[in-house]
Amino acid sequence: MGFSHSRAAAALLTAALFSALSLSVVHAQAPEKPGASAPRGESPKAPGAPAKTGARPPGRAPTVVVVDAVTRGEMAETLPVYGRVIARQAGPVAARVRGAVAEVRADVGTRVRKGDALIVLESDMLTGERDLRTAEIAEYRAKTGTAQAQLRLAEQELQRIDRLRNSSAYSPAREQDKRREVERYRSAMAETAARVKQAETARAIAEINLANAVIRAPYDGVVTHRHTEAGAYLNVGEPVVTMINDAALEIEADIPARRLTGLGPQARISVDPETAPPFEVRVRAIVPQENQLTRTRTIRFVPVDGESPALLAANQSVVLQIPNGPPRMVTTAHKDALLHRRGSAVMFVFADGKVSQRKVVLGEAFGNRFEIVSGLAPGDRVVTRGNERLRPGQDVVVRGGGAGPNGGRPGMSPGMRPGGGKGGGTPRADATRKAE
């Protein structure tokens, strides 16, 4: 019986060894997974072999980037200065005659044209005043006619007396009296004629007052405040509404006196209003008075095309890019293309579907672009989007199949926005000037 137990244990041990040996052989002969096979046209890499520089991992699409052209042109270094929007026509509209308010036809926010009615006053008394002056004109004209008839009669009698000069019926005293009477009638006629003129002038004034009973807009604009209501009584000169002409706006800024050299008659200044697209202005006037504390002068600018941009409001703050000197020819690249790697300023240049890394030496900043002292040439296309993780020699695809001068961001012109964004400046940091 002990012998039978020994044989059973030996059989179980032999079966276990055979199963383990079969399993190891199956794992050793198993084929490789499809995902681990070498790409078509390439030989399998030996274990431990290094990967190629810039080659994308197998099965991954090329990186999509946005590029911008390196340009060369005439540009000027700019200094950001805050300014304010000023309305050339703004202020209260006053009543020209006294009277009670009968009707209000304009409220806050109402856009009106020149000549539109704003406030209507009660005009009954003004109408009566005009009619009274008209009646006075008729009265004085009638008196003038009476004086003229009396004058003709006195002149006729004087002529008859003069014909009797050589007869016994002639009386020198009577002749003198008649001459004084003629003079009196002539004076009376001149007096009544003057009264007619006075009455006509008074009627003209009454008609003007009647017309001024309707207070009208003196210019195109928008009502910003209403000072009266129907039923109120207005005196002469009392304001009824406040208006502003939002189509005649200017930019006012206090510019350092030493920066005035770049503000010639032909200078075009970029303005960023923060609520509207950037636009250009020109100098209209330089006030010949300097602030002793700030050493600045007040300058007024007007839009180049003569029309104020939409959404621009009076007293709004804007940023002006004031030229820091005369313009010069420079080669520039977009600021978004700049990277810092190992202490050097670099940019990736796109060509033939691949990118190469270039060290660059930077100069001054011009809005959203940097001056390129060396490292790039006009016409090179640098990567402005998607360049953070690029490697030299990496395959890339340009979004849209090409690039314009704005780095794939429509609506932005080189040098228009300060610092490449709203409210920024044009810094000249050491890290972006001449990194080696």
Side-chain angles (χ1 to χ4, degrees), residues 230-292:
Y233 190 86
L234 299 177
N235 290 315
V236 177
E238 190 172 347
V240 293
V241 298
T242 299
M243 287 182 55
I244 182 173
N245 185 358
D246 58 346
L249 300 177
E250 294 184 348
I251 308 297
E252 183 180 82
D254 297 326
I255 308 299
R258 64 180 182 275
R259 306 293 184 186
L260 297 180
T261 56
L263 295 177
Q266 305 300 326
R268 296 294 183 265
I269 312 301
S270 175
V271 178
D272 186 356
E274 298 185 355
T275 59
F279 62 97
E280 289 188 338
V281 296
R282 60 177 178 83
V283 177
R284 184 184 69 83
I286 300 178
V287 179
Q289 184 176 5
E290 185 171 316
N291 189 317
Q292 295 181 352

Side-chain angles (χ1 to χ4, degrees), residues 177-196:
D177 293 342
K178 189 58 65 176
R179 289 187 182 277
R180 301 292 83 79
E181 185 178 357
V182 169
E183 293 176 356
R184 179 167 59 85
Y185 286 138
R186 286 178 178 174
S187 179
M189 191 177 68
E191 180 181 355
T192 54
R195 291 291 182 89
V196 171

Side-chain angles (χ1 to χ4, degrees), residues 179-227:
R179 289 187 182 277
R180 301 292 83 79
E181 185 178 357
V182 169
E183 293 176 356
R184 179 167 59 85
Y185 286 138
R186 286 178 178 174
S187 179
M189 191 177 68
E191 180 181 355
T192 54
R195 291 291 182 89
V196 171
K197 289 291 184 181
Q198 291 178 358
E200 290 176 348
T201 303
R203 185 180 66 176
I205 294 176
E207 290 177 347
I208 293 175
N209 291 336
L210 182 59
N212 288 335
V214 180
I215 304 174
R216 301 183 181 275
Y219 48 81
D220 298 348
V222 179
V223 176
T224 60
H225 190 74
R226 180 164 57 86
H227 303 278

Side-chain angles (χ1 to χ4, degrees), residues 27-335:
H27 280 286
Q29 295 179 354
E32 295 182 357
K33 294 181 180 180
S37 60
R40 181 177 298 177
E42 296 184 6
S43 60
K45 297 178 181 177
K52 293 182 179 180
T53 302
R56 69 177 185 272
R60 182 178 297 179
T63 302
V64 179
V65 297
V66 176
V67 298
D68 180 81
V70 177
T71 61
R72 181 170 179 79
E74 191 177 67
M75 302 186 73
E77 182 185 1
T78 57
L79 173 72
V81 174
Y82 276 94
R84 53 201 170 274
V85 180
I86 302 295
R88 299 189 65 180
Q89 287 182 315
V93 179
R96 298 184 178 182
V97 294
R98 61 173 57 91
V101 178
E103 184 180 357
V104 177
R105 296 187 181 180
D107 207 340
V108 175
T110 303
R111 183 172 293 277
V112 295
R113 306 280 295 181
K114 182 178 180 179
D116 289 351
L118 303 175
I119 303 292
V120 179
L121 303 180
E122 295 287 352
S123 58
D124 295 342
M125 294 186 63
L126 298 175
T127 302
E129 182 73 16
R130 182 197 59 183
D131 296 341
L132 177 62
R133 299 306 179 187
T134 302
E136 287 180 352
I137 292 174
E139 177 186 359
Y140 290 131
R141 284 178 177 173
K143 289 183 177 180
T144 301
T146 301
Q148 187 176 8
Q150 291 175 342
L151 176 61
R152 286 198 299 266
L153 178 60
E155 289 176 345
Q156 289 177 0
E157 292 179 357
L158 181 61
Q159 291 175 0
R160 286 197 295 267
I161 293 174
D162 189 61
R163 287 196 293 270
L164 297 175
R165 183 178 295 274
N166 297 324
S167 66
S168 60
Y170 173 75
S171 172
R174 185 179 179 185
E175 180 184 6
Q176 291 179 358
D177 293 342
K178 189 58 65 176
R179 289 187 182 277
R180 301 292 83 79
E181 185 178 357
V182 169
E183 293 176 356
R184 179 167 59 85
Y185 286 138
R186 286 178 178 174
S187 179
M189 191 177 68
E191 180 181 355
T192 54
R195 291 291 182 89
V196 171
K197 289 291 184 181
Q198 291 178 358
E200 290 176 348
T201 303
R203 185 180 66 176
I205 294 176
E207 290 177 347
I208 293 175
N209 291 336
L210 182 59
N212 288 335
V214 180
I215 304 174
R216 301 183 181 275
Y219 48 81
D220 298 348
V222 179
V223 176
T224 60
H225 190 74
R226 180 164 57 86
H227 303 278
T228 189
E229 187 55 86
Y233 190 86
L234 299 177
N235 290 315
V236 177
E238 190 172 347
V240 293
V241 298
T242 299
M243 287 182 55
I244 182 173
N245 185 358
D246 58 346
L249 300 177
E250 294 184 348
I251 308 297
E252 183 180 82
D254 297 326
I255 308 299
R258 64 180 182 275
R259 306 293 184 186
L260 297 180
T261 56
L263 295 177
Q266 305 300 326
R268 296 294 183 265
I269 312 301
S270 175
V271 178
D272 186 356
E274 298 185 355
T275 59
F279 62 97
E280 289 188 338
V281 296
R282 60 177 178 83
V283 177
R284 184 184 69 83
I286 300 178
V287 179
Q289 184 176 5
E290 185 171 316
N291 189 317
Q292 295 181 352
L293 299 178
T294 61
R295 296 302 179 188
T296 58
R297 297 186 188 179
T298 301
I299 300 182
R300 287 290 186 97
F301 303 88
V302 293
V304 173
D305 56 4
E307 296 183 1
S308 302
L311 302 180
L312 206 61
N315 300 323
Q316 178 181 349
S317 295
V318 296
V319 178
L320 296 90
Q321 295 299 318
I322 303 301
N324 200 16
R328 57 191 178 91
M329 295 297 296
V330 292
T331 301
T332 61
H334 202 281
K335 284 185 174 181

